Amino acid sequence: MKDRTEHIRAIVEQYEDLTFIPLRIEDAFSRDWWDSVGGKHISDNLGIDLTNEDLLLSSISNEGNEGYSKSPVQQLQKYIFSLPTQTAILSTVQTLTRILLLHTASAIGSSHLLLGTSLTSLSISLISSISQGGGFVVREEGKEEWVPPRSVTQMKTNGHENGNIRVVRPLQDIGMKECAMWAWWHGLNVVGREKFPGGKQSIGQLTKDFIVGLERDYPSTVSTIARTCSKLAPKHGTDGICLFCQRPAQYGLQDWRAQTAIRSFKSITSYRPPHFPERDTTDVPTSPSLPSLTPFLCYHCHTTLTSRSSRGTTAVSVSKDDPTPMPLWVTSSSAASTVSSTVRVATQDPYSGEEIWNRKKMDVEQMKATVAEFLFE
């Protein structure tokens, strides 16, 4: 894709009150950028096993796959190529862009982050997010206040408690046509954006085609979408913050997923229906020391990493012995939130300070041994 950095720099230099701070998507894997925004020091890079729904974490700094020595661009490429679907790729790029902007805004002491999201773009984001399992945080698409995580050790004072940053979208009530007309009347030089090759069948692109068609034939329906979604509110409370998108995660998500989600028995070792034949378990991770990233992700992010399309996957061949690198804010938080393999252990949430419990299925003898001291003979 074409690099438009110099084009954008030339446009920004026309305005004396603006300072151009270039960011690239690969900065999410760059230690230089992470250090510049005050991120916590990371001793080991962590990767995840995308072949397992538990997203087991492992260190890639001392392994023979040279994952730690790769450049940020190479790590980004490996991460993108490991994602299962086109929808996951586009959704991930949007999330990485948003988090990069928020961390950079926090590093320079900004209290607000202004985005050029129009009414049309907002409606597309709302419907696309809901379609991908992000309905719990649909209100954050229109009005968001980001709290810097504890993995950021150095922050500049911006006048808000805890260094919070409010995301503002001044154009969220103005449609795409009105924005285009205003830019044309004032002779503004708008920087174009290339489309992601192969993304025509993604949920985001299909949603965009649908909303743009609605705006062309029935303009009033686009504003109705935004107004309706702004009235939505989650039924239950939050259960901490997702380590990847850094938005609220749904309470009781793990129990709900275990009861309703379609899962593969390939990754389940604690229970197997009696009518299922015995199988070879050599490919199933049996080490209890490997922590899982799944309990620390929201439903949307977990689905993005593990979803499989009925039309096949776009990911390259992923091996459990070659972990996929993760963005540094995930690596920094996960290193402090390692989940133990004990029956039920409380660990410290790097964001809210609340306890997170990890559950493990016990057989009858283990349950009896646990409560033995409380039973009367």
Side-chain angles (χ1 to χ4, degrees):
M1 301 181 71
K2 185 178 179 180
D3 187 355
R4 301 177 183 269
T5 304
E6 296 305 321
H7 184 195
I8 300 175
R9 188 191 305 274
I11 295 177
V12 174
E13 289 178 350
Q14 300 175 6
Y15 304 91
E16 298 179 355
D17 297 332
L18 298 181
T19 302
F20 180 57
I21 303 177
L23 289 173
R24 298 179 180 274
I25 300 296
E26 60 263 25
D27 287 339
F29 301 87
S30 172
R31 291 198 174 218
D32 292 337
W33 171 81
W34 183 243
D35 293 338
S36 69
V37 298
K40 184 186 299 183
H41 174 71
I42 303 173
S43 58
D44 290 332
N45 266 18
L46 296 179
I48 58 173
D49 177 14
L50 290 180
T51 64
N52 192 305
E53 291 183 357
D54 290 333
L55 300 177
L56 300 178
L57 288 163
S58 61
S59 175
I60 59 178
S61 59
N62 298 319
E63 296 184 3
N65 55 21
E66 300 181 354
Y68 182 73
S69 62
K70 290 182 179 179
S71 66
V73 175
Q74 292 174 319
Q75 293 186 56
L76 172 64
Q77 290 174 343
K78 178 175 176 55
Y79 180 78
I80 292 296
F81 293 154
S82 300
L83 294 176
T85 62
Q86 297 176 0
T87 298
I89 294 175
L90 295 179
S91 176
T92 297
V93 170
Q94 293 176 355
T95 301
L96 293 179
T97 302
R98 171 180 152 270
I99 301 299
L100 285 170
L101 290 173
L102 287 170
H103 276 284
T104 303
S106 176
I108 63 177
S110 299
S111 59
H112 293 74
L113 175 64
L114 274 64
L115 301 179
T117 306
S118 65
L119 175 62
T120 308
S121 300
L122 177 61
S123 299
I124 294 172
S125 298
L126 291 170
I127 299 299
S128 178
S129 176
I130 294 174
S131 302
Q132 298 176 58
F136 185 76
V137 294
V138 68
R139 299 190 69 176
E140 273 70 17
E141 291 289 342
K143 184 179 180 181
E144 180 180 5
E145 185 162 343
W146 179 73
V147 181
R150 294 188 178 183
S151 56
V152 177
T153 57
Q154 299 177 1
M155 293 184 298
K156 291 185 178 180
T157 304
N158 62 3
H160 290 171
E161 184 180 1
N162 299 325
N164 296 4
I165 294 180
R166 295 174 183 172
V167 180
V168 182
R169 298 172 175 82
L171 303 177
Q172 65 178 2
D173 295 325
I174 304 176
M176 182 175 60
K177 291 183 179 180
E178 288 79 1
C179 291
M181 292 174 61
W182 192 90
W184 180 77
W185 281 336
H186 291 78
L188 297 181
N189 189 356
V190 180
V191 180
R193 183 177 62 177
E194 296 184 19
K195 293 183 178 180
F196 177 78
K200 295 183 179 180
Q201 298 301 319
S202 66
I203 292 178
Q205 185 60 43
L206 294 175
T207 303
K208 180 178 180 180
D209 295 341
F210 172 70
I211 299 297
V212 171
L214 278 181
E215 187 178 38
R216 180 180 61 250
D217 301 329
Y218 309 98
S220 61
T221 57
V222 178
S223 60
T224 302
I225 294 174
R227 288 198 304 268
T228 302
C229 291
S230 65
K231 299 176 183 178
L232 300 178
K235 184 177 181 180
H236 301 289
T238 63
D239 191 18
I241 301 296
C242 173
L243 294 188
F244 187 80
C245 70
Q246 298 187 357
R247 283 179 169 174
Q250 185 176 355
Y251 178 79
L253 180 59
Q254 298 303 312
D255 294 338
W256 176 82
R257 182 186 289 112
Q259 295 174 4
T260 63
I262 300 176
R263 304 179 64 188
S264 171
F265 278 99
K266 181 179 179 180
S267 59
I268 301 178
T269 58
S270 59
Y271 170 76
R272 188 169 183 81
H275 62 279
F276 271 68
E278 294 296 330
R279 54 166 171 71
D280 183 13
T281 59
T282 57
D283 61 336
V284 179
T286 57
S287 174
S289 61
L290 292 178
S292 171
L293 184 63
T294 297
F296 303 99
L297 297 179
C298 64
Y299 180 77
H300 179 203
C301 291
H302 184 267
T303 303
T304 298
L305 295 172
T306 61
S307 61
R308 297 294 181 268
S309 172
S310 60
R311 300 182 179 182
T313 178
T314 62
V316 297
S317 179
V318 179
S319 171
K320 63 182 179 180
D321 298 324
D322 186 14
T324 302
M326 294 296 291
L328 292 180
W329 57 81
V330 179
T331 300
S332 177
S333 301
S334 301
S337 307
T338 302
V339 182
S340 171
S341 61
T342 54
V343 175
R344 196 174 185 184
V345 60
T347 60
Q348 190 69 19
D349 184 355
Y351 292 93
S352 63
E354 298 177 354
E355 289 183 337
I356 298 179
W357 297 92
N358 181 39
R359 297 182 179 180
K360 179 180 178 181
K361 188 176 180 61
M362 303 170 60
D363 56 30
V364 177
E365 296 301 326
Q366 289 176 323
M367 288 189 288
K368 286 183 178 180
T370 302
V371 299
E373 59 180 314
F374 301 102
L375 300 178
F376 293 102
E377 295 294 340

